[in-house]
Amino acid sequence: ASKLEVSMPAVVEVESGGTARIECNFYIPGNDSYTYINWSYVSAGPQGGPWVRLCHITDSKIVEENTDYKGRLSVGEDKALSISRVTMQDARVFVCQVGAGSHGTGENRTELHVYRQAPGCSRFPSPHGSALCSRLALPTQIAQCVSKNSFPAPNITWHKNGQELQQEENMVKITATRTRESSGLYTVSSTLFARVTREDRNSLYQCTVHYWLRGQRHAVESRRVNVTIFYPAEHLKLQVVPSSTLVKEGDDVKLVCEADGNPAPVFSFLKRELEDSWQDLTSLTDPNSGVLNLHDVNKSSSGLYRCQTLDLDDMRQLEKDVELVVNYIEGVHVKMEPSSSPREGDSVRLSCNAHSPVALDYQWRDGKGRKVAEGNQLFLSNLTFETSSNFSCKVIAPSVPGLEQSKQVAVTVQGKPRIVDISSPLYVRQDEVVNLTCKAIAFPRPSVRWSVNGTAHEYVENQHIASNLTVRVNHDLLRAGAVCNVSNTLGFSEKHIQLLDQKTPESKGVIIVAIIVCILVVAVLGSVIYFLHKKGKIACGRSGKQDITKPEARKDKIVVEVKSDKLSEEAGLLQGANSEKRPAADQVGQSVVRC
């Protein structure tokens, strides 16, 4: 270049409160040095108005002028001007002038744009809401969006369910206002008017604020809001809760009436009594809730119910009917054949019947709750007193959970008494006080009599009777015992109680023990004699027996004659001692006894 040139950016953007840096680049022919640099701003308008110098820069110093910018200015090594704490009033044209001696002067300028980011929008609902707006032919005010303190002035658009809304005659209308505040910032307001229908009850509306920043367009969206829309009811729904097919006697039931209008209409409930007669049940409900509560329903609660609504704007009436069916079991009856009271050994048949609009199952249970049979008949054969019990017929509706009823019948078996337990035999002592017990089973209830006198106590449980007789034992009681007699109108039964003296068994025991001891003593003695005989310690034996016919018998021997009636016994003893058998003739001889 052959002359002095100064270059600067045409526009510099800075956010309010930030620091603006404006560069000034220059070229001097021959790479000569500058003489001075002046930074100024144009006081009014981008082209006209006097300049106000901010600072004077030479090679040796920087002189800052006394202006509104004093204290906020700084100059960098590259001679760029920095302005801190920028305000909206700083949005003006700044001039950089360079002097270079013989090369003359050069200048250029930059327009400083100060912006403030749009803070979003604040919404204000329609002063009339959206009441009855679905009935209006013209658009109704939906909402207002306001953006305050922004620079430059932003633009506001509206969206419904994400789709931008455009002006449309008799459907969508958008009005906007822009106000410049004393601070230089702008307040922009936009109001949306739209014609809505019941289909818009779930629609979401939002506004978007668009603004420029550093040469680019930015946007801030408001949160989405739903607008309350009033519209009349077109359809009515009436249902039973829980399902009508499962309702049973004793349940709590709700009839719920719902309308698709907003706000909800006023509800009323009716029940058909006769062909053209309806009972008003509105007093049992809250007209605004649309719920009819029926507690502890029964068979008579079944019938046709009607819900009615009235639109107060056009007085149009809607109604809906529902049939309530209450399932029940009634008339449970148990019959016994034959009907007369059975006796032991007889058989009976129990029949159970009931009425219900649904199919029924039958179960039979005994007095302890155990299931004994299924079906509506129970056959009992060969009855005994022990068979007597309370049988119950349980009627169940399988298709309606929880619907059941029971009926009990008592099967009482009659018969003459049967003694089932008695305290015999009973070991006692003289003058001892004892309890005699007699237990029997019978129906009708029997009476108990004893053949002896004493204090009797009776205990009755169901068909069992027990009698305890307290008596003192004497000789007559030991000899004769006692008799328990149990009788009722159908007969009697008796049993004898035998009393035994406890001494008798003791004496027998002593004799038995004595016999056992004697046997043991004899066995031991025989063993000893046999042992001594084998050892030769006893003289009696074969060597001690001599023939009495021999004449040489010595006179110092004592001869004892054994008589015949003792021979067999003597022979037996000798035979047992020697374990030998001899003829009878050999058994006659002399027995020599040495003294």
Side-chain angles (χ1 to χ4, degrees):
S2 59
K3 62 178 181 177
L4 174 64
E5 290 186 358
V6 178
S7 61
M8 295 177 64
V11 177
V12 171
E13 293 183 338
V14 63
E15 186 174 3
S16 176
T19 298
R21 188 174 186 276
I22 305 174
E23 296 181 352
C24 181
N25 299 312
F26 52 86
Y27 170 76
I28 301 176
N31 290 327
D32 289 344
S33 179
Y34 67 91
T35 305
Y36 65 89
I37 298 176
N38 289 329
W39 277 102
S40 307
Y41 70 86
V42 180
S43 60
Q47 300 295 333
W51 292 5
V52 179
R53 192 166 70 179
L54 298 174
C55 60
H56 179 72
I57 305 171
T58 64
D59 188 42
S60 58
K61 62 180 178 180
I62 299 176
V63 179
E64 183 177 357
E65 304 294 339
N66 187 18
T67 63
D68 293 339
Y69 288 90
K70 190 174 182 61
R72 294 195 295 138
L73 300 178
S74 62
V75 178
E77 291 183 359
D78 59 351
K79 312 310 176 188
L81 178 67
S82 295
I83 305 173
S84 61
R85 303 188 300 278
V86 174
T87 65
M88 304 307 300
Q89 287 73 20
D90 294 333
R92 49 177 49 120
V93 175
F94 290 84
V95 180
C96 176
Q97 185 182 54
V98 179
S102 61
H103 296 287
T105 61
E107 63 184 51
N108 211 331
R109 61 187 59 198
T110 294
E111 184 175 356
L112 180 62
H113 290 178
V114 180
Y115 68 90
R116 182 183 179 93
Q117 181 174 338
C121 47
S122 56
R123 296 169 312 282
F124 302 92
S126 166
H128 305 293
S130 298
L132 305 179
C133 62
S134 64
R135 299 177 186 269
L136 301 179
L138 297 177
T140 305
Q141 181 174 335
I142 301 298
Q144 186 180 52
C145 183
V146 179
S147 176
K148 295 183 177 181
N149 299 323
S150 59
F151 188 89
N155 182 42
I156 297 177
T157 59
W158 287 93
H159 298 79
K160 170 184 171 183
N161 298 328
Q163 299 294 324
E164 184 176 350
L165 295 175
Q166 303 293 337
Q167 297 269 10
E168 184 178 352
E169 186 177 359
N170 296 330
M171 294 299 294
V172 178
K173 178 181 178 182
I174 300 174
T175 62
T177 60
R178 184 174 67 176
T179 304
R180 183 180 178 91
E181 308 292 344
S182 59
S183 61
L185 302 177
Y186 288 96
T187 295
V188 178
S189 174
S190 178
T191 304
L192 173 66
F193 298 83
R195 182 180 177 184
V196 294
T197 64
R198 68 170 55 242
E199 286 73 23
D200 295 318
R201 60 187 179 276
N202 296 321
S203 296
L204 297 176
Y205 295 87
Q206 69 178 144
C207 65
T208 302
V209 179
H210 305 272
Y211 61 95
W212 288 90
L213 176 62
R214 299 186 186 276
Q216 295 182 347
R217 188 178 184 182
H218 299 268
V220 177
E221 294 181 347
S222 69
R223 67 183 183 89
R224 298 181 179 186
V225 295
N226 176 255
V227 179
T228 301
I229 301 175
F230 293 161
Y231 47 87
E234 293 182 352
H235 303 93
L236 203 59
K237 180 181 179 181
L238 178 61
Q239 60 181 347
V240 179
V241 180
S243 173
S244 59
T245 58
L246 300 177
V247 176
K248 62 181 182 299
E249 283 191 315
D251 284 349
D252 292 337
V253 177
K254 290 183 178 180
L255 297 184
V256 180
C257 191
E258 298 175 339
D260 60 354
N262 187 37
V266 176
F267 298 93
S268 60
F269 287 90
L270 305 170
K271 181 187 178 184
R272 187 170 67 181
E273 295 295 329
L274 299 176
E275 188 64 29
D276 295 323
S277 175
W278 291 83
Q279 178 186 2
D280 189 1
L281 303 178
T282 305
S283 60
L284 303 178
T285 66
D286 179 1
N288 296 321
S289 69
V291 178
L292 172 62
N293 292 298
L294 301 176
H295 300 286
D296 194 19
V297 297
N298 53 37
K299 176 183 176 181
S300 62
S301 303
S302 298
L304 185 66
Y305 289 80
R306 172 172 294 176
C307 171
Q308 290 181 342
T309 64
L310 179 63
D311 191 325
L312 299 179
D313 291 315
D314 58 8
M315 302 307 291
R316 186 175 62 165
Q317 180 175 288
L318 298 176
E319 59 184 33
K320 194 73 174 181
D321 296 342
V322 68
E323 185 77 23
L324 174 62
V325 177
V326 179
N327 297 288
Y328 60 91
I329 298 175
E330 67 177 5
V332 180
H333 175 70
V334 178
K335 180 181 179 183
M336 183 171 65
E337 296 176 333
S339 58
S340 59
S341 297
R343 297 198 178 186
E344 279 199 301
D346 289 350
S347 298
V348 296
R349 176 182 283 106
L350 302 179
S351 300
C352 184
N353 292 289
H355 176 67
S356 175
V358 295
L360 299 176
D361 289 343
Y362 298 85
Q363 292 181 359
W364 292 93
R365 298 182 181 271
D366 61 14
K368 296 182 179 180
R370 298 171 300 190
K371 186 169 71 171
V372 295
E374 292 186 350
N376 70 327
Q377 289 190 346
L378 174 63
F379 185 74
L380 303 173
S381 61
N382 195 20
L383 295 175
T384 63
F385 290 124
E386 289 76 12
T387 310
S388 297
S389 177
N390 288 327
F391 291 89
S392 65
C393 171
K394 187 176 183 180
V395 186
I396 304 171
S399 62
V400 185
L403 181 58
E404 59 184 44
Q405 282 194 18
S406 296
K407 185 75 171 182
Q408 283 193 346
V409 60
V411 178
T412 304
V413 180
Q414 294 187 355
K416 71 177 185 177
R418 175 159 40 93
I419 297 176
V420 296
D421 188 19
I422 194 166
S423 56
S424 179
L426 184 64
Y427 293 95
V428 298
R429 293 187 180 93
Q430 280 282 358
D431 294 328
E432 181 184 10
V433 177
V434 296
N435 286 327
L436 306 181
T437 302
C438 181
K439 295 181 180 179
I441 182 172
F443 189 84
R445 178 180 171 179
S447 60
V448 181
R449 294 191 303 274
W450 293 90
S451 63
V452 295
N453 294 326
T455 303
H457 299 279
E458 291 186 357
Y459 306 93
V460 178
E461 182 180 359
N462 296 329
Q463 294 175 314
H464 291 79
I465 184 170
S467 178
N468 291 336
L469 180 68
T470 304
V471 296
R472 184 178 294 277
V473 179
N474 54 35
H475 178 73
D476 292 337
L477 184 59
L478 278 171
R479 179 180 56 82
V483 176
C484 171
N485 181 287
V486 186
S487 63
N488 64 6
T489 57
L490 300 178
F492 73 93
S493 179
E494 62 182 19
K495 282 192 177 182
H496 178 262
I497 297 178
Q498 181 184 8
L499 283 76
L500 301 176
D501 194 340
Q502 285 187 346
K503 291 182 178 180
T504 302
E506 289 182 359
S507 299
K508 289 182 178 180
V510 172
I511 293 172
I512 293 172
V513 171
I515 292 173
I516 294 173
V517 171
C518 291
I519 292 173
L520 292 175
V521 170
V522 171
V524 172
L525 182 58
S527 299
V528 172
I529 293 173
Y530 179 77
F531 177 76
L532 293 176
H533 170 69
K534 286 293 186 180
K535 295 295 185 179
K537 299 281 178 93
I538 299 178
C540 297
R542 291 189 299 271
S543 63
K545 185 170 75 171
Q546 297 179 357
D547 192 352
I548 61 174
T549 63
K550 292 182 179 181
E552 295 89 1
R554 293 182 294 178
K555 294 181 179 180
D556 57 348
K557 300 291 184 178
I558 299 174
V559 178
V560 180
E561 182 179 357
V562 181
K563 294 182 179 181
S564 62
D565 56 348
K566 298 294 183 178
L567 288 177
S568 61
E569 181 180 354
E570 184 76 15
L573 291 173
L574 293 176
Q575 179 180 340
N578 295 299
S579 301
E580 295 179 358
K581 291 184 180 180
R582 291 182 177 87
D586 293 340
Q587 293 176 5
V588 178
Q590 293 180 345
S591 176
V592 179
V593 179
R594 295 177 182 177
C595 296

